[in-house]
């Protein structure tokens, strides 16, 4: 339940981020670069279909497994753990990608903002499910 709920929530958050971040300067610049640069796959490819439709469930599954394997309990909540995992995983990976692949700071900022928001949403949803079904009232 937590994996499916968090995966769906990430898909919604990703769509919201895409539509909201285009109103801030770095988001607007990033969207232009993402749509015109040959560095990035177009949205109608199989790779992007995976990113949009399957990756949120994979990341949610890996997060729930890591949380369970590490036997995390309050005060290490899923929301807090998601932020820590984001820093050592996606956040660090985006910085490395920016350092090694030629794309703008705007795209890096867009990726950092969108993935951080997705991690927060995933952590919040998992925390809600855990509180409701595992930790009691």
């Amino acid at each position: 339940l937590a994996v499916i709920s968090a995966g769906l929530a990430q898909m919604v958050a990703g769509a919201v981020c895409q539509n909201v971040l285009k109103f801030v300067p770095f988001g607007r610049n990033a969207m232009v670069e993402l749509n015109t640069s040959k560095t990035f796959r177009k949205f109608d490819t199989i790779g992007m279909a995976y990113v949009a439709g399957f990756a949120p469930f994979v990341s949610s599954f890996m997060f729930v497994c890591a949380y369970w394997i590490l036997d995390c309990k309050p005060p290490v909540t899923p929301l807090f753990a998601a932020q820590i995992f984001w820093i050592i995983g996606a956040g660090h990976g985006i910085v490395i990608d920016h350092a090694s692949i030629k794309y703008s700071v705007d795209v890096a900022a867009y990726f950092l903002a969108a993935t951080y928001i997705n991690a927060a949403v995933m952590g919040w949803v998992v925390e809600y499910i855990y509180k409701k079904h595992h930790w009691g009232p």
Side-chain angles (χ1 to χ4, degrees):
L1 181 62
V3 170
I4 292 169
S5 300
L8 291 172
Q10 284 187 80
M11 292 172 80
V12 170
V16 169
C17 283
Q18 189 173 6
N19 288 300
V20 170
L21 290 177
K22 69 182 177 187
F23 293 109
V24 295
F26 75 86
R28 185 172 37 257
N29 296 340
M31 292 308 291
V32 169
E33 187 174 343
L34 287 169
N35 288 318
T36 58
S37 174
K38 300 239 185 262
T39 304
F40 303 102
R41 295 184 189 278
K42 299 301 174 208
F43 286 106
D44 60 354
T45 63
I46 291 177
M48 288 306 291
Y50 167 78
V51 169
F54 195 64
F57 299 103
V58 173
S59 65
S60 297
F61 177 75
M62 290 189 306
F63 172 72
V64 169
C65 287
Y67 194 79
W68 176 69
I69 289 169
L70 294 173
D71 197 26
C72 297
K73 292 179 179 63
V76 179
T77 64
L79 181 56
F80 178 69
Q83 305 314 300
I84 299 301
F85 292 156
W86 177 86
I87 291 168
I88 61 176
H92 185 237
I94 291 167
V95 171
I96 290 169
D97 285 349
H98 177 66
S100 63
I101 300 171
K102 194 173 186 176
Y103 60 79
S104 71
V105 172
D106 291 328
V107 171
Y110 176 82
F111 286 162
L112 288 168
T115 58
Y116 184 80
I117 290 166
N118 269 354
V121 166
M122 175 186 65
W124 181 81
V125 169
V126 171
E127 185 169 324
Y128 176 80
I129 300 291
Y130 267 58
K131 282 182 180 177
K132 189 170 177 111
H133 296 286
H134 297 290
W135 294 335

